[in-house]
């Protein structure tokens, strides 16, 4: 029996075939197809709805809104993807982003510094606070055996409550009845260049650093190896507990930096719930899972989810299709991806057993 030769993965044809067979691409296309069926069932036009969604996310005036949402979503996706690269799940992003934001607000309210030193101190303090909070669950697991997955999630609740107390009492703006801080002084406001906030440029630098460490350093190789087989990495002499602490601190630091950048951007104040209600943390978690912890993939998935959210509002305005469809698409992407990965793993095990 003759077989048709297949193009190696390193050739252009092989790379195209690998992309077409990618579980991520299949999950996105499957979600769009399911969304189209739902629209048809409701009497809508899928082509008009998706066109309105794209225009609402990337139109001549709307792309800035997508960028504003993409900064915290992509940042939180990286905060999850960095430790997830080693198989460690960081569920404490909500507390880390809130702690970073409230720390920056405390600095802005109590420290009088000239620009740009003021922003450097505020952002640095937010990142440091997030890093310390991120490292705490790893330390608890290494020293006391407390499961990191549980402690990282539970620690967020008292942190969010503390931030709520601070912004409702010591930091509250007496001129309003809302739970929000005073507007920051000019020195603590994130500048904007050509319609793009400095926070987006800072995030690009963070992305570049993460990708550089992940792909071009021995530490990045050890992290990836730990994600594939932690026991083998430990046998090879790598200090995995220390690595996990560093990764959790890095993820927490990124989340804290994102929180600080959000509150120092428009409207230049800390608002109770503003970092929690938009679900930046959980959208970032979905993006990291969709990208399977690849940093560049997490960035692309974060932008994709941000575009879905912003485009959903444009779709609702233009076609009267409810924006909740964008949330359904996000969930469907993850479900299909999980099913595809599970089916691929099952086929691999079957072939291995047959061999």
């Amino acid at each position: 029996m003759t077989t048709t030769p297949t193009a190696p993965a390193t050739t252009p044809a092989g790379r195209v075939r690998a992309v077409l067979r990618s579980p991520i691409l299949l999950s996105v296309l499957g979600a769009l197809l399911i969304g189209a069926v739902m629209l048809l069932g409701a009497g809508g036009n899928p082509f008009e709805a998706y066109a309105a969604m794209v225009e609402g996310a990337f139109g001549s005036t709307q792309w800035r809104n997508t960028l504003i949402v993409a900064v915290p979503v992509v940042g939180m996706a990286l905060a999850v993807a960095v430790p997830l690269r080693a198989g460690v799940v960081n569920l404490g992003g909500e507390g880390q982003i809130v702690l970073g934001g409230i720390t920056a607000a405390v600095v802005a309210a109590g420290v009088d510094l000239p620009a740009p030193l003021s922003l450097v101190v505020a952002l640095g303090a937010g990142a440091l606070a997030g890093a310390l909070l991120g490292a705490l669950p790893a330390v608890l697991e290494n020293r006391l055996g407390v499961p990191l997955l549980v402690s990282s999630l539970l620690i967020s609740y008292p942190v969010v409550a503390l931030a709520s107390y601070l912004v409702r009492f010591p930091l509250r703006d007496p001129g309003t009845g809302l739970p929000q801080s005073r507007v920051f002084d000019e020195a603590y406001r994130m500048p904007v260049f050509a319609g793009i906030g400095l926070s987006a440029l800072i995030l690009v630098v963070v992305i570049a650093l993460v990708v550089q460490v992940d792909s071009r350093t021995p530490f990045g190789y050890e992290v990836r190896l730990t994600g594939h087989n932690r026991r083998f990495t430990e046998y090879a002499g790598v200090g995995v507990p220390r690595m996990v602490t560093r990764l959790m601190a890095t993820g927490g630091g990124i989340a804290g930096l994102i929180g600080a950048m959000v509150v120092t951007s428009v409207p230049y104040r800390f608002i109770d719930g503003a970092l929690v209600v938009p679900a930046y943390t959980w959208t970032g978690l979905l993006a990291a899972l969709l990208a399977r912890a690849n940093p560049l993939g997490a960035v692309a998935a974060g932008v994709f989810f941000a575009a879905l959210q912003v485009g959903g509002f444009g779709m609702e305005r233009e076609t009267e299709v409810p924006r909740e469809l964008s949330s359904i698409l996000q969930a469907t992407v993850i479900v299909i991806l999980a099913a595809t990965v599970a089916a691929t793993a099952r086929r691999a095990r079957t072939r291995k057993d047959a061999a």
Side-chain angles (χ1 to χ4, degrees):
M1 184 178 66
T2 60
T3 59
T4 302
T6 58
T10 55
T11 66
R15 286 194 291 266
V16 171
R17 181 171 296 178
V19 170
L20 293 177
R21 292 179 176 178
S22 168
I24 296 176
L25 180 62
L26 293 175
S27 62
V28 171
L29 294 178
L32 294 176
L33 180 61
I34 292 174
V37 172
M38 295 174 59
L39 286 169
L40 288 172
N45 187 322
F47 296 103
E48 292 181 358
Y50 287 151
M53 179 178 287
V54 173
E55 177 65 24
F58 300 107
S60 58
T61 59
Q62 297 301 318
W63 64 270
R64 290 185 178 87
N65 295 330
T66 300
L67 183 61
I68 291 172
V69 176
V71 167
V73 171
V74 170
M76 296 310 295
L78 283 178
V80 175
V82 166
L84 189 61
R85 198 69 159 156
V88 179
V89 182
N90 175 21
L91 292 182
E94 203 160 83
Q96 294 153 15
I97 188 174
V98 170
L99 184 60
I102 196 64
T103 300
V106 170
V107 171
V111 182
D112 185 16
L113 292 172
L117 180 60
S118 54
L119 268 179
V120 173
V121 172
L123 297 182
L128 178 60
L132 293 175
L133 185 63
L136 181 58
V139 173
L140 291 176
E141 181 176 71
N142 296 336
R143 299 294 178 84
L144 303 177
V146 180
L148 183 148
L149 191 68
V150 175
S151 60
S152 64
L153 176 63
L154 295 182
I155 287 175
S156 292
Y157 293 101
V159 171
V160 173
L162 174 62
S164 180
Y165 164 77
L166 291 175
V167 80
R168 289 173 182 271
F169 295 100
L171 300 178
R172 184 175 65 87
D173 184 357
T176 69
L178 301 176
Q180 58 188 18
S181 68
R182 297 178 178 86
V183 176
F184 300 155
D185 293 337
E186 190 70 30
Y188 286 96
R189 299 182 185 183
M190 192 72 69
V192 178
F193 307 100
I196 299 177
L198 180 61
S199 57
L201 303 179
I202 295 174
L203 181 60
V204 170
V205 174
V206 173
I207 293 169
L209 291 175
V210 170
V211 172
Q212 179 73 14
V213 172
D214 177 75
S215 61
R216 297 183 179 275
T217 66
F219 179 74
Y221 173 75
E222 292 174 354
V223 169
R224 298 195 304 274
L225 187 61
T226 303
H228 288 299
N229 192 326
R230 178 167 179 161
R231 182 173 296 179
F232 176 82
T233 308
E234 291 176 337
Y235 284 157
V238 177
V240 174
R242 183 180 178 184
M243 173 197 294
V244 170
T245 302
R246 293 172 63 183
L247 291 175
M248 286 294 294
T250 302
I254 294 174
L257 176 64
I258 293 298
M261 291 196 300
V262 170
V263 301
T264 53
S265 301
V266 179
Y268 309 115
R269 64 169 84 207
F270 186 99
I271 303 173
D272 190 26
L275 295 172
V276 176
V277 174
Y280 296 136
T281 298
W282 303 110
T283 306
L285 175 63
L286 292 179
L289 292 174
L290 177 61
R292 302 173 73 177
N294 182 285
L296 283 178
V299 172
V303 173
F304 172 68
F305 284 148
L308 279 182
Q309 292 182 12
V310 177
F313 288 96
M315 180 180 62
E316 188 175 56
R317 288 193 305 268
E318 298 296 328
T319 65
E320 297 185 357
V321 175
R323 65 178 182 273
E324 282 73 18
L325 176 66
S326 61
S327 299
I328 295 174
L329 291 177
Q330 289 185 39
T332 306
V333 166
I334 297 301
V335 171
I336 295 177
L337 177 64
T340 304
V341 172
T344 302
R346 190 180 300 111
R347 286 196 298 268
R349 286 196 301 268
T350 301
R351 288 196 297 266
K352 183 177 179 180
D353 294 339

